Amino acid sequence: MEKLSVAQARQEASIGKQACLQGWVRTRRDSKAGFSFIEINDGSSQGNIQIIADANLENYESEIKNLTAGCSISAIGELKASGGKGQSTELHASQVTVHGWADPDTYPLQKKRHSFEKLREWAHLRPRTNTFGAVARVRNCICNSIHQFFQEDGFLYVHTPVITASDCEGAGEMFQVTTMDLEHVAKNTIERLDYQFDFFDRPSFLTVSGQLEAETYACALGKVYTFGPTFRAENSNTSRHLAEFWMIEPEMAFCELSENMDLAEAFLKRVFGDAMEKCAEDMEFFNLRIDTTLLETLNGIMSSDFVRLPYTEAVEILEQCGESFEYPVQWGVDLQSEHERFLTETHFKSPVILYDYPKIIKPFYMYCNDDEKTVRGMDVLVPKIGEIIGGSQREHRLDVLEQRMTEQDLVIDDYWWYTDLRKYGTVPHAGFGLGLERLVQFVTGMANIRDVIPFPRTPGNADF
Ligand code: 4AD
Ligand code: MG
């Protein structure tokens, strides 16, 4: 017996086939004419398939008539054309096997619709809902598209470490990794921790970015990218921050800032296009239920150029726009999300790439411009999210880099391997980091980042 997914079984080409379908019951209705309609979903598509179970099936009274939402079943039968609305096929069952029951008194996902906040408490069950199934499929499609985009363009996938001793962004937002018994340490009130007793013989952390290590591979292999988990202990409870998120970081040797911007723009457009093409049904769902401007926005972005604007000009726009912001703007401040959103949503109504930021607000590794005030950093801003990508051309001149490290109180010797790249065959190079969850948020229109990753990690929350 051929096993078909619900997605396959729903295609007209499957009509006439004998098949076995397996999934979780969404609804059951009984007809007076002596049969039941059971809708199941197996996660392979947004749509369910209807199974028609006749009253003469041997377990009809004992089992089939007791099926409720959440029960798991296998059904064998013939796929036929369906007269029902919104479906082209249905399965006429000759056998229905129940694998697992779901007590309707306690199963949380009964018909009633729950808020996304409530569903976060059932992160283990929420993938069975329409919205979270769709998010999972689109997230998967995006990941596939990301790998394809880079692989087709000759980038090499490199794995950078999750545990590291260096703070790439210099923001001090790292989770420490230790095998020391912290309770013992606390009880014995040791004056100073002796790291020779720790696993790595020195303070070690979960990485905030694979960039520095990716640079070493780019400076040997040309074009590389990383795609892995990153961690930030920033205590910001916003709809756009997670303590654990996935980042994609391309890094290119012999590359300057404008080429880096070209790559970021082509990359985002490719991902948007693939999501709309390969997940059409799910994207329609998001457009209908989550954000009715979604498809229009994505299509608009695909067919226009991103605005590219120096930070200094952006600040002028913000100072003169007459909008009252919570955080005042002046040259030299780090832009807040409200400023970024004003630029991209209200002023330009388009994605915006801001570049040439004041060096005082950016990390040590960014290339210093001749004005000695700005660095070749870039942020890609999109409506509703604000910053989705952060990147830069890297400082490849040893003397300038060391000066910047000193200015930022970094111990140059700790980064000896990083400065070595500037001693031996240094080249202009550039790259960026894209937060996967912000991208999934943007593509699906989901308002909260906690709803686009299976098990969100946020301050005070590491359940499941
Ligand atoms: O701008 P960021 O901090 O840049 C870097 O880490 C560079 N080392 C990247 C590089 O040049 N290779 O972070 C990059 C992106 C942000 O634009 C944002 O999309 C995402 O990572 N991001 C977060 N996403 C979710 N939760 C957080 N707490 C995030 N912090 C950054
Ligand atoms: Mg950033």
Side-chain angles (χ1 to χ4, degrees), residues 10-30:
R10 286 172 71 227
Q11 286 164 12
E12 275 173 37
S14 297
I15 291 171
K17 280 189 180 163
Q18 285 288 327
C20 172
L21 306 185
Q22 304 180 297
W24 291 268
V25 173
R26 287 292 177 88
T27 60
R28 192 203 81 243
R29 280 184 303 122
D30 304 323

Short mmCIF file of all heavy atoms in Angstrom, two decimals, residues 10-30:
data_model
loop_
_atom_site.label_atom_id
_atom_site.label_comp_id
_atom_site.label_asym_id
_atom_site.label_seq_id
_atom_site.Cartn_x
_atom_site.Cartn_y
_atom_site.Cartn_z
N ARG A 10 -3.86 15.36 -1.79
CA ARG A 10 -4.78 16.43 -2.17
C ARG A 10 -4.66 16.81 -3.64
O ARG A 10 -5.47 17.58 -4.16
CB ARG A 10 -4.53 17.66 -1.29
CG ARG A 10 -5.06 17.49 0.13
CD ARG A 10 -4.62 18.62 1.02
NE ARG A 10 -5.31 19.86 0.70
CZ ARG A 10 -4.72 21.04 0.55
NH1 ARG A 10 -3.43 21.16 0.69
NH2 ARG A 10 -5.41 22.11 0.27
N GLN A 11 -3.62 16.32 -4.29
CA GLN A 11 -3.45 16.67 -5.71
C GLN A 11 -4.36 15.83 -6.60
O GLN A 11 -4.53 14.63 -6.37
CB GLN A 11 -1.99 16.49 -6.12
CG GLN A 11 -1.12 17.59 -5.55
CD GLN A 11 0.36 17.27 -5.59
OE1 GLN A 11 0.77 16.32 -6.26
NE2 GLN A 11 1.14 18.06 -4.89
N GLU A 12 -4.90 16.47 -7.63
CA GLU A 12 -5.83 15.75 -8.51
C GLU A 12 -5.19 14.52 -9.14
O GLU A 12 -5.88 13.53 -9.42
CB GLU A 12 -6.36 16.70 -9.59
CG GLU A 12 -7.56 17.50 -9.07
CD GLU A 12 -8.02 18.56 -10.04
OE1 GLU A 12 -7.97 18.31 -11.26
OE2 GLU A 12 -8.42 19.65 -9.57
N ALA A 13 -3.87 14.59 -9.33
CA ALA A 13 -3.18 13.46 -9.94
C ALA A 13 -3.30 12.19 -9.10
O ALA A 13 -3.05 11.09 -9.59
CB ALA A 13 -1.71 13.82 -10.13
N SER A 14 -3.66 12.35 -7.84
CA SER A 14 -3.77 11.17 -6.97
C SER A 14 -5.13 10.48 -7.07
O SER A 14 -5.32 9.40 -6.48
CB SER A 14 -3.53 11.57 -5.51
OG SER A 14 -2.21 12.05 -5.36
N ILE A 15 -6.06 11.09 -7.77
CA ILE A 15 -7.40 10.50 -7.87
C ILE A 15 -7.32 9.11 -8.50
O ILE A 15 -6.60 8.91 -9.49
CB ILE A 15 -8.34 11.42 -8.70
CG1 ILE A 15 -8.61 12.70 -7.89
CG2 ILE A 15 -9.66 10.72 -9.06
CD1 ILE A 15 -9.33 13.78 -8.64
N GLY A 16 -8.01 8.16 -7.87
CA GLY A 16 -8.00 6.80 -8.39
C GLY A 16 -7.00 5.90 -7.69
O GLY A 16 -7.05 4.68 -7.81
N LYS A 17 -6.07 6.51 -6.90
CA LYS A 17 -5.05 5.68 -6.24
C LYS A 17 -5.59 5.04 -4.97
O LYS A 17 -6.39 5.64 -4.25
CB LYS A 17 -3.85 6.56 -5.84
CG LYS A 17 -2.90 6.85 -6.95
CD LYS A 17 -1.64 7.52 -6.41
CE LYS A 17 -0.70 7.82 -7.56
NZ LYS A 17 0.32 8.80 -7.18
N GLN A 18 -5.09 3.86 -4.69
CA GLN A 18 -5.28 3.24 -3.38
C GLN A 18 -4.14 3.78 -2.52
O GLN A 18 -2.98 3.75 -2.93
CB GLN A 18 -5.15 1.71 -3.49
CG GLN A 18 -6.34 1.02 -4.11
CD GLN A 18 -7.55 1.01 -3.18
OE1 GLN A 18 -7.41 0.95 -1.96
NE2 GLN A 18 -8.74 1.10 -3.77
N ALA A 19 -4.45 4.27 -1.34
CA ALA A 19 -3.38 4.88 -0.56
C ALA A 19 -3.62 4.72 0.93
O ALA A 19 -4.74 4.47 1.39
CB ALA A 19 -3.26 6.36 -0.90
N CYS A 20 -2.52 4.89 1.67
CA CYS A 20 -2.60 4.93 3.13
C CYS A 20 -2.23 6.35 3.56
O CYS A 20 -1.17 6.85 3.21
CB CYS A 20 -1.60 3.93 3.73
SG CYS A 20 -1.45 4.08 5.53
N LEU A 21 -3.12 7.01 4.27
CA LEU A 21 -2.87 8.37 4.77
C LEU A 21 -2.80 8.31 6.29
O LEU A 21 -3.56 7.58 6.94
CB LEU A 21 -4.01 9.31 4.37
CG LEU A 21 -4.38 9.39 2.89
CD1 LEU A 21 -5.43 10.47 2.67
CD2 LEU A 21 -3.15 9.68 2.04
N GLN A 22 -1.88 9.12 6.84
CA GLN A 22 -1.69 9.08 8.30
C GLN A 22 -1.58 10.49 8.85
O GLN A 22 -0.89 11.33 8.25
CB GLN A 22 -0.41 8.30 8.62
CG GLN A 22 -0.45 6.91 8.02
CD GLN A 22 0.78 6.10 8.31
OE1 GLN A 22 1.87 6.46 7.89
NE2 GLN A 22 0.61 4.99 9.01
N GLY A 23 -2.23 10.75 9.95
CA GLY A 23 -2.13 12.10 10.51
C GLY A 23 -2.96 12.25 11.77
O GLY A 23 -3.36 11.26 12.39
N TRP A 24 -3.20 13.50 12.14
CA TRP A 24 -3.93 13.82 13.36
C TRP A 24 -5.28 14.43 13.00
O TRP A 24 -5.37 15.28 12.11
CB TRP A 24 -3.11 14.81 14.21
CG TRP A 24 -1.89 14.15 14.77
CD1 TRP A 24 -1.79 13.53 15.97
CD2 TRP A 24 -0.63 13.99 14.12
NE1 TRP A 24 -0.54 12.99 16.11
CE2 TRP A 24 0.20 13.26 15.00
CE3 TRP A 24 -0.10 14.38 12.88
CZ2 TRP A 24 1.51 12.92 14.69
CZ3 TRP A 24 1.20 14.05 12.56
CH2 TRP A 24 1.99 13.32 13.46
N VAL A 25 -6.29 13.97 13.69
CA VAL A 25 -7.65 14.41 13.40
C VAL A 25 -7.80 15.89 13.75
O VAL A 25 -7.37 16.33 14.81
CB VAL A 25 -8.67 13.57 14.21
CG1 VAL A 25 -10.08 14.12 14.05
CG2 VAL A 25 -8.59 12.11 13.80
N ARG A 26 -8.38 16.63 12.82
CA ARG A 26 -8.74 18.02 13.11
C ARG A 26 -10.22 18.11 13.50
O ARG A 26 -10.57 18.76 14.46
CB ARG A 26 -8.46 18.91 11.89
CG ARG A 26 -6.98 19.19 11.62
CD ARG A 26 -6.39 20.07 12.72
NE ARG A 26 -4.97 20.31 12.55
CZ ARG A 26 -4.46 21.30 11.83
NH1 ARG A 26 -5.25 22.16 11.21
NH2 ARG A 26 -3.16 21.46 11.74
N THR A 27 -11.08 17.46 12.71
CA THR A 27 -12.51 17.47 13.05
C THR A 27 -13.13 16.15 12.63
O THR A 27 -12.60 15.44 11.77
CB THR A 27 -13.27 18.58 12.29
OG1 THR A 27 -13.14 18.34 10.88
CG2 THR A 27 -12.77 19.96 12.62
N ARG A 28 -14.29 15.83 13.24
CA ARG A 28 -15.10 14.71 12.78
C ARG A 28 -16.55 15.14 12.80
O ARG A 28 -17.00 15.81 13.74
CB ARG A 28 -14.93 13.51 13.72
CG ARG A 28 -15.51 12.23 13.14
CD ARG A 28 -15.87 11.19 14.20
NE ARG A 28 -17.16 11.50 14.80
CZ ARG A 28 -17.34 11.80 16.08
NH1 ARG A 28 -16.32 11.82 16.90
NH2 ARG A 28 -18.55 12.09 16.54
N ARG A 29 -17.26 14.84 11.73
CA ARG A 29 -18.71 15.11 11.65
C ARG A 29 -19.37 13.81 11.24
O ARG A 29 -18.84 13.09 10.39
CB ARG A 29 -19.02 16.09 10.51
CG ARG A 29 -18.79 17.51 10.79
CD ARG A 29 -19.21 18.40 9.62
NE ARG A 29 -18.60 18.14 8.33
CZ ARG A 29 -19.27 17.84 7.24
NH1 ARG A 29 -20.59 17.70 7.27
NH2 ARG A 29 -18.65 17.65 6.09
N ASP A 30 -20.54 13.54 11.81
CA ASP A 30 -21.25 12.32 11.42
C ASP A 30 -22.47 12.70 10.60
O ASP A 30 -23.19 13.64 10.94
CB ASP A 30 -21.68 11.54 12.67
CG ASP A 30 -20.49 11.24 13.56
OD1 ASP A 30 -19.41 10.96 13.02
OD2 ASP A 30 -20.64 11.32 14.80
#
